[in-house]
C-alpha cells in the first residue's frame, strides 16, 4: 500500500495535512497525542497497523496543528479547534464514514459523533477516556507536563515507557525520537495539557451511533476504569477488553486489536495464520527456528548480513513478536500444524 497526502483547510484557514491509504468506504482515524504522517508511514510497526486496518476500506489520518506536516498556528489547543480540524478533513469525503478515535482522539471522536450524528456510521474508541482529569493525580499530571516543557528529551523517554512498556528497547528508543520529531516541546506540552482537560461527560450520552469501546487491561496511560466509564456513558456501547499494557495501538498484540475493530466495522478479518510473509521471509523464519545467526542466514541464502538482519526485523514486526525466540517458536508450531 502507498499513502496519498493532501491538505484540507479549516474554517479559520488552518491547512491540515491528511493521508489516505486503501480503497473502499471511508474510515476516519483521529490519532492520539503527537503525529507525523510521513514518519509514521516509515515506522514498520505503525505502518503495518494502518495497512491492516485499511484492507478493504479507505483509511484517512491527519496531523493536527503543530504536529508533523501541519504547521503550528497562533491559536491555543482546545476541543473546539480539534473539531474544526476534523471538520476540514471530513469535508473532503462524500457521505457518511466510520470514525475511529484513539487515545486523545477518542474524546474528540465522541464530541464529533454527538454533534454530527448523521455523518458517522460506526464509532470506535480505543485507549480513550471520559474525563482527562481522572487519568492520574494532579501532582503526577503537573510533574509530567513540567518535564515535557523543561526537558523534552527526557519527557519523551518517560512517556514512551508509559505508552509502550511492551516494546523492545530498540522500538522504545525509536518511539521517543519519533515523538520529538513530531512537534516542539511547547506543542507537546499544550496538547498533553489538553488531553488532561478534555471532558466529554455531558456529550457521551448524546451519542446515538453504534459504538465499540476497546481497551487493553493493563494500559498505564489510560486506566481501564476510563474505558468502563466511557462505555457506560454511551448508550448501547459495546466494551471489549484485551490483554496488554501498551497504550500505543501498534505495540503489543495488534493483530487481535485490528481483528476486533474490523469485525465491528463489518470488514473481513484475516486469520492469524495468514501472516503475509513473503517466500524469502518464510525461508528466513525457518533458519531462525534452526538457531541460525544473521551471518549464517546470509551465507545460507547468498545475501549480505545486513539484508538478513532486515528480513528478521520485518518478520518480527509483521508477526508482532519481540524476539527471535518467538519467531522460532511460531515457525515450529506452524510446521507441526502443517
Amino acid at each position: 500500500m502507498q499513502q496519498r497526502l493532501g491538505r484540507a483547510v479549516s474554517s479559520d484557514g488552518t491547512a491540515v495535512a491528511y493521508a489516505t491509504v486503501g480503497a473502499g468506504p471511508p474510515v476516519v482515524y483521529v490519532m492520539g497525542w503527537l503525529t507525523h504522517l510521513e514518519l509514521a508511514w516509515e515506522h514498520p510497526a505503525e505502518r503495518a497497523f494502518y495497512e491492516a486496518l485499511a484492507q478493504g476500506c479507505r483509511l484517512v489520518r491527519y496531523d493536527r496543528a503543530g504536529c508533523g506536516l501541519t504547521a503550528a498556528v497562533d491559536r491555543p489547543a482546545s476541543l473546539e479547534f480539534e473539531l474544526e480540524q476534523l471538520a476540514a478533513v471530513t469535508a473532503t469525503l462524500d457521505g457518511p464514514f466510520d470514525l475511529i478515535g484513539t487515545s486523545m482522539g477518542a474524546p474528540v471522536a465522541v464530541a464529533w459523533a454527538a454533534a454530527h450524528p448523521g455523518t458517522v456510521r460506526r464509532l470506535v474508541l480505543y485507549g480513550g477516556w471520559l474525563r482527562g482529569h481522572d487519568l492520574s493525580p494532579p501532582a503526577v499530571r503537573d510533574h509530567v507536563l513540567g518535564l515535557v516543557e523543561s526537558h523534552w528529551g527526557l519527557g519523551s523517554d518517560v512517556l514512551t515507557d508509559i505508552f509502550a512498556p511492551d516494546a523492545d528497547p530498540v522500538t522504545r528508543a525509536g518511539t521517543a525520537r519519533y515523538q520529538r520529531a513530531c512537534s516542539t516541546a511547547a506543542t507537546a506540552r499544550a496538547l498533553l495539557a489538553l488531553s488532561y482537560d478534555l471532558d466529554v461527560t455531558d456529550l457521551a450520552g448524546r451519542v446515538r451511533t453504534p459504538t465499540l469501546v476497546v481497551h487493553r487491561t493493563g494500559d498505564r496511560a489510560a486506566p481501564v476504569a476510563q474505558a468502563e466509564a466511557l462505555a457506560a456513558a454511551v448508550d448501547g456501547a459495546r466494551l471489549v477488553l484485551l490483554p496488554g499494557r501498551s497504550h500505543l495501538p501498534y505495540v503489543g498484540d495488534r493483530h487481535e486489536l485490528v481483528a476486533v475493530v474490523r469485525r465491528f466495522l463489518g470488514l473481513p478479518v484475516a486469520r492469524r495464520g495468514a501472516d503475509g510473509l513473503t517466500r524469502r521471509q518464510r525461508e528466513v523464519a525457518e533458519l531462525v527456528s534452526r538457531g541460525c545467526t544473521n551471518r549464517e542466514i546470509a551465507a545460507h541464502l547468498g545475501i549480505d548480513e545486513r539484508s538478513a538482519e532486515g528480513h528478521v526485523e520485518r518478520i518480527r514486526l509483521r508477526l508482532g513478536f519481540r524476539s527471535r525466540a518467538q519467531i522460532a517458536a511460531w515457525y515450529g508450531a506452524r510446521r507441526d500444524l502443517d
Side-chain angles (χ1 to χ4, degrees), residues 270-286:
R271 294 182 298 108
R272 185 177 289 273
D275 48 67
L277 299 187
T278 66
R279 184 173 62 179
R280 175 49 58 89
Q281 288 170 347
R282 289 178 183 279
E283 292 173 342
V284 171
E286 180 185 6

mmCIF file of all heavy atoms in Angstrom, residues 270-286:
data_model
loop_
_atom_site.group_PDB
_atom_site.id
_atom_site.type_symbol
_atom_site.label_atom_id
_atom_site.label_comp_id
_atom_site.label_asym_id
_atom_site.label_seq_id
_atom_site.Cartn_x
_atom_site.Cartn_y
_atom_site.Cartn_z
ATOM 1 N N ALA A 270 -8.491 -11.280 8.680
ATOM 2 C CA ALA A 270 -7.533 -12.303 8.267
ATOM 3 C C ALA A 270 -7.247 -13.233 9.436
ATOM 4 O O ALA A 270 -7.177 -12.801 10.589
ATOM 5 C CB ALA A 270 -6.233 -11.651 7.790
ATOM 6 N N ARG A 271 -7.120 -14.521 9.156
ATOM 7 C CA ARG A 271 -6.718 -15.465 10.191
ATOM 8 C C ARG A 271 -5.301 -15.151 10.644
ATOM 9 O O ARG A 271 -4.477 -14.696 9.870
ATOM 10 C CB ARG A 271 -6.774 -16.908 9.658
ATOM 11 C CG ARG A 271 -8.185 -17.387 9.322
ATOM 12 C CD ARG A 271 -8.164 -18.833 8.846
ATOM 13 N NE ARG A 271 -7.377 -18.987 7.630
ATOM 14 C CZ ARG A 271 -6.197 -19.573 7.571
ATOM 15 N NH1 ARG A 271 -5.626 -20.026 8.686
ATOM 16 N NH2 ARG A 271 -5.552 -19.697 6.426
ATOM 17 N N ARG A 272 -5.010 -15.411 11.913
ATOM 18 C CA ARG A 272 -3.668 -15.140 12.421
ATOM 19 C C ARG A 272 -2.630 -15.924 11.634
ATOM 20 O O ARG A 272 -1.510 -15.481 11.422
ATOM 21 C CB ARG A 272 -3.579 -15.479 13.906
ATOM 22 C CG ARG A 272 -2.243 -15.102 14.525
ATOM 23 C CD ARG A 272 -2.223 -15.386 16.004
ATOM 24 N NE ARG A 272 -3.061 -14.468 16.741
ATOM 25 C CZ ARG A 272 -2.651 -13.291 17.184
ATOM 26 N NH1 ARG A 272 -1.427 -12.879 16.949
ATOM 27 N NH2 ARG A 272 -3.461 -12.510 17.869
ATOM 28 N N GLY A 273 -3.009 -17.103 11.158
ATOM 29 C CA GLY A 273 -2.063 -17.900 10.381
ATOM 30 C C GLY A 273 -1.760 -17.286 9.033
ATOM 31 O O GLY A 273 -0.747 -17.603 8.413
ATOM 32 N N ALA A 274 -2.626 -16.433 8.521
ATOM 33 C CA ALA A 274 -2.382 -15.755 7.245
ATOM 34 C C ALA A 274 -1.465 -14.577 7.519
ATOM 35 O O ALA A 274 -1.884 -13.435 7.590
ATOM 36 C CB ALA A 274 -3.709 -15.297 6.630
ATOM 37 N N ASP A 275 -0.169 -14.878 7.695
ATOM 38 C CA ASP A 275 0.771 -13.908 8.245
ATOM 39 C C ASP A 275 1.266 -12.886 7.249
ATOM 40 O O ASP A 275 1.852 -11.883 7.630
ATOM 41 C CB ASP A 275 1.963 -14.633 8.855
ATOM 42 C CG ASP A 275 2.517 -15.686 7.901
ATOM 43 O OD1 ASP A 275 3.048 -15.313 6.839
ATOM 44 O OD2 ASP A 275 2.397 -16.880 8.207
ATOM 45 N N GLY A 276 1.102 -13.135 5.959
ATOM 46 C CA GLY A 276 1.545 -12.172 4.967
ATOM 47 C C GLY A 276 3.042 -12.169 4.730
ATOM 48 O O GLY A 276 3.560 -11.236 4.112
ATOM 49 N N LEU A 277 3.775 -13.192 5.197
ATOM 50 C CA LEU A 277 5.207 -13.250 4.940
ATOM 51 C C LEU A 277 5.476 -13.610 3.486
ATOM 52 O O LEU A 277 4.746 -14.386 2.876
ATOM 53 C CB LEU A 277 5.874 -14.293 5.851
ATOM 54 C CG LEU A 277 5.794 -14.088 7.363
ATOM 55 C CD1 LEU A 277 6.649 -15.134 8.062
ATOM 56 C CD2 LEU A 277 6.214 -12.699 7.758
ATOM 57 N N THR A 278 6.546 -13.063 2.949
ATOM 58 C CA THR A 278 6.979 -13.439 1.606
ATOM 59 C C THR A 278 7.673 -14.805 1.663
ATOM 60 O O THR A 278 8.001 -15.314 2.741
ATOM 61 C CB THR A 278 7.959 -12.411 1.038
ATOM 62 O OG1 THR A 278 9.165 -12.438 1.822
ATOM 63 C CG2 THR A 278 7.366 -11.003 1.071
ATOM 64 N N ARG A 279 7.908 -15.382 0.493
ATOM 65 C CA ARG A 279 8.592 -16.674 0.460
ATOM 66 C C ARG A 279 9.976 -16.574 1.079
ATOM 67 O O ARG A 279 10.400 -17.457 1.837
ATOM 68 C CB ARG A 279 8.708 -17.178 -0.984
ATOM 69 C CG ARG A 279 9.328 -18.571 -1.093
ATOM 70 C CD ARG A 279 9.254 -19.095 -2.502
ATOM 71 N NE ARG A 279 10.013 -18.254 -3.420
ATOM 72 C CZ ARG A 279 10.124 -18.502 -4.726
ATOM 73 N NH1 ARG A 279 9.485 -19.522 -5.262
ATOM 74 N NH2 ARG A 279 10.842 -17.695 -5.492
ATOM 75 N N ARG A 280 10.713 -15.507 0.774
ATOM 76 C CA ARG A 280 12.032 -15.332 1.363
ATOM 77 C C ARG A 280 11.963 -15.183 2.877
ATOM 78 O O ARG A 280 12.784 -15.727 3.614
ATOM 79 C CB ARG A 280 12.723 -14.121 0.717
ATOM 80 C CG ARG A 280 14.081 -13.714 1.314
ATOM 81 C CD ARG A 280 15.050 -14.886 1.468
ATOM 82 N NE ARG A 280 15.353 -15.579 0.250
ATOM 83 C CZ ARG A 280 16.344 -15.272 -0.587
ATOM 84 N NH1 ARG A 280 17.119 -14.234 -0.324
ATOM 85 N NH2 ARG A 280 16.564 -15.992 -1.667
ATOM 86 N N GLN A 281 10.955 -14.448 3.368
ATOM 87 C CA GLN A 281 10.807 -14.290 4.813
ATOM 88 C C GLN A 281 10.492 -15.619 5.491
ATOM 89 O O GLN A 281 10.951 -15.881 6.606
ATOM 90 C CB GLN A 281 9.731 -13.249 5.123
ATOM 91 C CG GLN A 281 10.169 -11.820 4.814
ATOM 92 C CD GLN A 281 9.037 -10.820 4.889
ATOM 93 O OE1 GLN A 281 7.861 -11.197 4.943
ATOM 94 N NE2 GLN A 281 9.372 -9.539 4.881
ATOM 95 N N ARG A 282 9.742 -16.474 4.816
ATOM 96 C CA ARG A 282 9.471 -17.799 5.369
ATOM 97 C C ARG A 282 10.762 -18.623 5.443
ATOM 98 O O ARG A 282 10.976 -19.375 6.403
ATOM 99 C CB ARG A 282 8.427 -18.527 4.533
ATOM 100 C CG ARG A 282 7.028 -17.947 4.669
ATOM 101 C CD ARG A 282 6.021 -18.684 3.782
ATOM 102 N NE ARG A 282 4.723 -18.070 3.883
ATOM 103 C CZ ARG A 282 3.858 -18.288 4.855
ATOM 104 N NH1 ARG A 282 4.177 -19.121 5.836
ATOM 105 N NH2 ARG A 282 2.689 -17.683 4.877
ATOM 106 N N GLU A 283 11.612 -18.474 4.438
ATOM 107 C CA GLU A 283 12.901 -19.164 4.459
ATOM 108 C C GLU A 283 13.743 -18.677 5.632
ATOM 109 O O GLU A 283 14.384 -19.470 6.328
ATOM 110 C CB GLU A 283 13.647 -18.928 3.140
ATOM 111 C CG GLU A 283 12.995 -19.583 1.935
ATOM 112 C CD GLU A 283 13.664 -19.180 0.624
ATOM 113 O OE1 GLU A 283 14.380 -18.151 0.613
ATOM 114 O OE2 GLU A 283 13.479 -19.890 -0.373
ATOM 115 N N VAL A 284 13.743 -17.370 5.842
ATOM 116 C CA VAL A 284 14.500 -16.797 6.950
ATOM 117 C C VAL A 284 13.929 -17.282 8.284
ATOM 118 O O VAL A 284 14.679 -17.636 9.207
ATOM 119 C CB VAL A 284 14.487 -15.260 6.872
ATOM 120 C CG1 VAL A 284 15.092 -14.653 8.136
ATOM 121 C CG2 VAL A 284 15.251 -14.787 5.638
ATOM 122 N N ALA A 285 12.590 -17.304 8.401
ATOM 123 C CA ALA A 285 11.962 -17.770 9.643
ATOM 124 C C ALA A 285 12.344 -19.216 9.942
ATOM 125 O O ALA A 285 12.585 -19.580 11.103
ATOM 126 C CB ALA A 285 10.448 -17.626 9.546
ATOM 127 N N GLU A 286 12.413 -20.017 8.912
ATOM 128 C CA GLU A 286 12.822 -21.417 9.113
ATOM 129 C C GLU A 286 14.252 -21.490 9.648
ATOM 130 O O GLU A 286 14.545 -22.258 10.580
ATOM 131 C CB GLU A 286 12.721 -22.196 7.807
ATOM 132 C CG GLU A 286 13.143 -23.661 7.963
ATOM 133 C CD GLU A 286 13.151 -24.419 6.650
ATOM 134 O OE1 GLU A 286 12.943 -23.774 5.602
ATOM 135 O OE2 GLU A 286 13.377 -25.642 6.697
#
